[in-house]
Amino acid sequence: MRLVTISDIRAAAALVAPAVLRTPLLPCPWADDDRPLWLKPENLQPVGAFKIRGAFHALARLPEEVRVLGVVAYSSGNHAQAVAYAAKRFGVPAVIVVPDTTPRVKIDATRSHGAEVHTVPVAERESRARYLSHQRGSTLIPPFDHVDVIAGQGTVGLEIAEDLPDVRTVLVPVSGGGLISGVAVAIKALCPDARVIGVEPALAADAAESLRAGRRSSSWSPALRARTIADGLRAEPSELTFAHMRELVDGIVAVSEADIRAAVPWLVHNSRLVAEPSGAVTVAAYLNHRDELPPGRTVAVVSGGNLDPALLSELLAE
């Protein structure tokens, strides 16, 4: 199994530059003096999430004669929008399969980019996407289980290393593991003294359990993982992403639903950022588990900001 390298990520950065915003590092005046914090606001991307990096890179790497036949993706929402957006940029058709629990705001945004959207029960999203890919002769772009997707997501880590080379800790949301795999490759290559720590909901803590065991856990069903409000963090790592995590990730922090719900309005009021629950988990970890984190300069990746207005209103009122 070939793991992604820093050379892969540097090459990806050049390919995605026309479509991806180089997000800034935002200092947080409310952070601790011994653990100063910067936010990496990937919610500011054109599709509201970091997923545009991996999706655009994967499409850019396809031979033109293959890409013109179209692409298929399955997703909980943000990868769906990213593939639809990238396909529109390349002028090729996109078919997207999403769970029937996907927030309406994400489905509507995906359709707004011209994609054909299919909603299915969560356990069927991958099999339906593979069927449609075979039926239509289109290329399947998975949300994380692909070296080109991981390399694209790794550009987040590349930017962090370039903008804050003395970073000590990088907090990254964990679901399928594509983002933390790519970020860890970049950070460990360029900032070898830094620690990469994943953050996931306690109600979907399969990655933490897997790392403790040294092998992927099979005890977390889709129904169990679906309990968390963080709808973008309900997937489980693949063999490919788990191989990256096992080699490069220093640990995982699990945060409660109450912590996640509180982090969303905290970001609105204190950093003027709208983050979806999945994107706010890193800040939830910093606010509630900072004593478990190493001292020194810390970056929290805010991975996305696509949430229903009704949910945002509810969380702001709590």
Side-chain angles (χ1 to χ4, degrees):
M1 182 185 300
R2 186 181 82 83
L3 300 189
V4 170
T5 67
I6 187 61
S7 295
D8 296 327
I9 294 172
R10 290 192 187 281
L15 282 178
V16 305
V20 168
L21 174 68
R22 184 189 176 100
T23 52
L25 289 181
L26 305 179
C28 299
W30 45 266
D32 289 346
D33 290 340
D34 62 341
R35 291 180 183 82
L37 179 68
W38 285 260
L39 304 179
K40 181 70 168 168
E42 288 295 292
N43 56 313
L44 302 182
Q45 291 293 348
V47 297
F50 75 95
K51 291 284 192 176
I52 183 57
R53 297 173 181 268
F56 192 89
H57 183 236
L59 266 76
R61 291 268 296 161
L62 291 176
E64 186 174 355
E65 65 272 17
V66 173
R67 189 168 57 227
V68 73
L69 299 176
V71 292
V72 176
Y74 59 92
S75 168
S76 60
N78 285 334
H79 181 64
Q81 294 178 66
V83 171
Y85 178 86
K88 182 174 68 174
R89 288 284 299 256
F90 282 107
V92 301
V95 178
I96 311 294
V97 181
V98 298
D100 52 17
T101 55
T102 300
R104 174 56 56 183
V105 65
K106 295 182 178 182
I107 294 175
D108 291 344
T110 302
R111 287 195 171 116
S112 75
H113 298 306
E116 176 185 330
V117 178
H118 296 245
T119 58
V120 299
V122 64
E124 298 176 16
R125 62 179 182 170
E126 183 173 350
S127 60
R128 180 69 65 87
R130 292 188 183 281
Y131 168 77
L132 290 169
S133 173
H134 176 75
Q135 180 191 52
R136 304 189 183 200
S138 301
T139 300
L140 180 68
I141 306 293
F144 50 84
D145 190 27
H146 194 290
V147 291
D148 289 338
V149 172
I150 293 171
Q153 319 303 28
T155 59
V156 171
L158 180 64
E159 292 172 11
I160 292 171
E162 290 174 347
D163 292 348
L164 194 68
D166 56 349
V167 64
R168 299 296 297 172
T169 305
V170 182
L171 301 174
V172 187
V174 177
S175 183
L179 176 60
I180 196 169
S181 293
V183 168
V185 170
I187 293 297
K188 293 297 183 178
L190 302 175
C191 307
D193 293 332
R195 291 168 58 87
V196 178
I197 297 178
V199 185
E200 65 184 348
L203 293 183
D206 53 304
E209 183 176 300
S210 295
L211 282 183
R212 285 194 300 268
R215 56 181 175 78
R216 290 198 303 155
S217 172
S218 60
S219 60
W220 292 81
S221 68
L224 280 178
R225 298 193 305 271
R227 297 172 299 166
T228 178
I229 191 175
D231 62 276
L233 303 182
R234 293 170 178 167
E236 58 185 340
S238 66
E239 288 289 350
L240 177 62
T241 56
F242 185 66
H244 285 82
M245 292 166 62
R246 186 169 49 197
E247 181 170 324
L248 299 168
V249 173
D250 296 290
I252 295 184
V253 173
V255 291
S256 71
E257 294 298 290
D259 292 344
I260 298 170
R261 296 179 73 93
V264 173
W266 178 274
L267 279 168
V268 171
H269 294 307
N270 292 279
S271 292
R272 309 302 186 264
L273 289 178
V274 174
E276 62 190 280
S278 302
V281 294
T282 51
V283 173
Y286 181 88
L287 293 173
N288 298 282
H289 297 269
R290 73 187 77 182
D291 291 342
E292 302 172 31
L293 305 177
R297 297 184 169 208
T298 302
V299 171
V301 178
V302 179
S303 56
N306 296 311
L307 74 169
D308 281 317
L311 177 58
L312 177 59
S313 297
E314 175 186 330
L315 295 176
L316 289 172
E318 290 183 351

